[in-house]
Amino acid sequence: MKTIYDYSYAQLEELMLQKGQKKYRAGQIFSWLYQKRVVSFDEMSDISHVFLEELKSEYVINPIEMIEKQVSKDKTVKYLFRLSDGALVESVLMHFDYGKSLCVTSQVGCNMGCRFCASGLLKKQRDCTSGEIVAQVMSVQKELDKTGDRLSHVVIMGTGEPFDNYDNVMNFCRTINHDKGLAIGARHITISTCGLVPMIERFAGEHVQYNLAISLHAPNNELRNQLMPVNQAYPIEVLMAALKKYSEENNRRLTFEYILLKGVNDSLEHAAQLASLIRGLNAYVNLIPYNAVDEHGFQSTDMKSAMKFYDALMKNRVKATLRAKHGDDIDAACGQLRAKRQGELK
Ligand code: SAH
């Protein structure tokens, strides 16, 4: 059955009209779902019994089941969910000094085939619906409600390529961002893409405030072609041109993600190449320690070399951060837990 979480506010208003209801019902339902965070339609006490029965016959509220939860030493929590067709997806809750951030999954599996990533170990089975992504956020928020905590940030960096599921991902963002939804600020929502240029262009044209992060991971085409097959379709110069246009049209700071892979992309020459690509853009580089995936054989750069890489960027007038590792004792790298369990459950 379809989940009511699939509907953005505007779509729910439309649905109410189709069902012969007043538009303002959408506001009531949104408030029950996202502010009071009910688990059943029966709790919606200001809506007529007859109409609730109609809704119940067509929709569920929560389409996912939490089947596993792993907590790491640094309190990072990894959740494994089962969708209604049995597919497994995962979300990761991270605690920062600026708030609590949830990393959500946008597709069941991934087709981008990045060589270092665990997600691609399982090919894409299907897209997540907007409501299935909303449900990941709601499940975790409901857990946090028990201690009076609130999710302040959402990053779409779990399994999947969000721009390969563009409409559902944008609908998801609208719902969690809506004032009557969870009201998570647009600037606290980050979409991360491996570089699907036509969708970056589309996104640029929407003039929304969500953050855009680009998984670059290599500063030249030769290396990026090897690590990320998407580069063969949209090489670096094409990607950078699209990003320059995005920047000019949106006045938003871009993030470049760069995993440091020992002996692969972490030399000072790579740092210089990276700096010359990025210098002048309103952007910074997020250097990410690699979470080793058994099947792939890559290793993370050691801290000393990572610092040297960071210094080289800064010397070349490119802002960077060196991200601390989160939850590497709980298979928190993209797709790791799911890849393991999928194997066991089959
Ligand atoms: N497809 C999107 C979003 C999902 S991946 C994208 O490519 O951006 C989110 C980020 O995690 C990407 O930068 C990805 O390259 C990175 N990542 C994947 N596997 C990783 C691993 N084992 N360790 C650290 N980061 C990883």
Side-chain angles (χ1 to χ4, degrees):
M1 222 189 305
K2 213 172 147 64
T3 165
I4 195 83
Y5 285 149
D6 274 331
Y7 290 81
S8 67
Y9 194 83
Q11 289 171 334
L12 199 58
E13 282 187 331
E14 198 54 41
L15 182 73
M16 291 304 113
L17 292 176
Q18 278 167 23
K19 291 190 171 298
Q21 296 286 322
K22 293 276 193 295
K23 243 187 177 178
Y24 70 80
R25 282 265 176 278
Q28 290 175 313
I29 295 177
F30 244 55
S31 146
W32 284 112
L33 291 176
Y34 301 111
Q35 287 161 5
K36 301 181 191 100
R37 311 206 248 276
V38 298
V39 295
S40 83
F41 285 105
D42 293 323
E43 294 173 71
M44 301 183 177
S45 55
D46 53 3
I47 297 174
S48 84
H49 194 66
V50 178
F51 185 51
L52 285 182
E53 287 305 315
E54 184 179 338
L55 288 176
K56 271 159 69 178
S57 70
E58 290 174 47
Y59 302 101
V60 293
I61 293 183
N62 182 19
I64 68 177
E65 185 193 352
M66 193 184 288
I67 58 170
E68 192 173 329
K69 188 177 154 184
Q70 291 185 353
V71 185
S72 79
K73 288 190 212 103
D74 65 6
K75 302 268 187 319
T76 298
V77 190
K78 180 135 194 171
Y79 297 92
L80 188 67
F81 297 103
R82 188 188 284 121
L83 308 184
S84 52
D85 62 354
L88 300 178
V89 300
E90 53 193 29
S91 316
V92 181
L93 173 65
M94 289 160 290
H95 305 271
F96 295 102
D97 43 9
Y98 56 77
K100 296 189 187 307
S101 179
L102 189 70
C103 173
V104 294
T105 284
S106 58
Q107 296 181 312
V108 181
C110 184
N111 279 344
M112 298 299 121
C114 300
R115 300 284 180 253
F116 44 78
C117 179
S119 301
L121 292 172
L122 303 165
K123 283 269 158 252
K124 180 175 101 172
Q125 293 165 22
R126 65 176 177 87
D127 292 328
C128 288
T129 71
S130 163
E132 285 170 338
I133 315 174
V134 170
Q136 295 169 48
V137 175
M138 292 310 293
S139 301
V140 174
Q141 181 55 61
K142 282 173 189 169
E143 287 249 309
L144 292 177
D145 284 340
K146 294 175 192 161
T147 46
D149 289 310
R150 174 177 182 269
L151 274 178
S152 54
H153 293 68
V154 169
V155 297
I156 309 167
M157 294 190 186
T159 300
E161 168 49 45
F163 279 176
D164 184 38
N165 184 16
Y166 189 90
D167 293 331
N168 289 343
V169 164
M170 292 302 278
N171 220 40
F172 158 73
C173 293
R174 277 191 284 273
T175 298
I176 60 166
N177 172 237
H178 200 280
D179 289 350
K180 293 198 170 100
L182 278 176
I184 295 177
R187 289 168 178 239
H188 289 185
I189 298 172
T190 301
I191 303 175
S192 177
T193 178
C194 63
L196 296 180
V197 167
M199 293 299 133
I200 292 174
E201 289 168 343
R202 187 168 161 196
F203 184 76
E206 302 219 28
H207 302 291
V208 283
Q209 299 291 305
Y210 312 129
N211 301 306
L212 185 59
I214 309 296
S215 297
L216 195 61
H217 306 324
N220 61 62
N221 282 325
E222 196 190 342
L223 184 56
R224 200 164 189 265
N225 281 341
Q226 287 168 26
L227 294 175
M228 302 176 69
V230 67
N231 197 68
Q232 290 158 23
Y234 307 111
I236 289 180
E237 58 285 2
V238 175
L239 175 62
M240 295 310 291
L243 293 173
K244 190 157 177 270
K245 195 148 173 277
Y246 165 85
S247 264
E248 286 163 5
E249 287 175 12
N250 287 275
N251 196 26
R252 300 277 298 130
R253 189 167 73 159
L254 281 166
T255 306
F256 286 92
E257 292 154 280
Y258 196 97
I259 307 174
L260 288 168
L261 300 165
K262 189 174 183 169
V264 177
N265 66 355
D266 62 348
S267 72
L268 292 183
E269 195 189 332
H270 291 128
Q273 288 175 0
L274 180 59
S276 63
L277 276 181
I278 289 174
R279 201 168 30 234
L281 264 183
N282 179 14
Y284 78 101
V285 178
N286 195 355
L287 296 171
I288 308 171
Y290 181 61
N291 260 317
V293 176
D294 298 346
E295 292 79 353
H296 290 327
F298 292 107
Q299 285 176 329
S300 185
T301 303
D302 59 75
M303 212 40 192
K304 208 171 137 209
S305 313
M307 281 307 291
K308 279 194 188 148
F309 196 95
Y310 170 88
D311 286 341
L313 288 180
M314 297 297 264
K315 265 195 213 113
N316 279 288
R317 300 191 306 282
V318 168
K319 287 193 206 81
T321 54
L322 190 51
R323 192 199 275 181
K325 248 185 176 181
H326 284 270
D328 57 339
D329 54 331
I330 55 163
D331 304 320
C334 318
Q336 281 186 341
L337 179 61
R338 171 174 175 265
K340 262 190 194 168
R341 291 295 172 273
Q342 194 93 7
E344 286 165 18
L345 293 175
K346 266 189 180 155

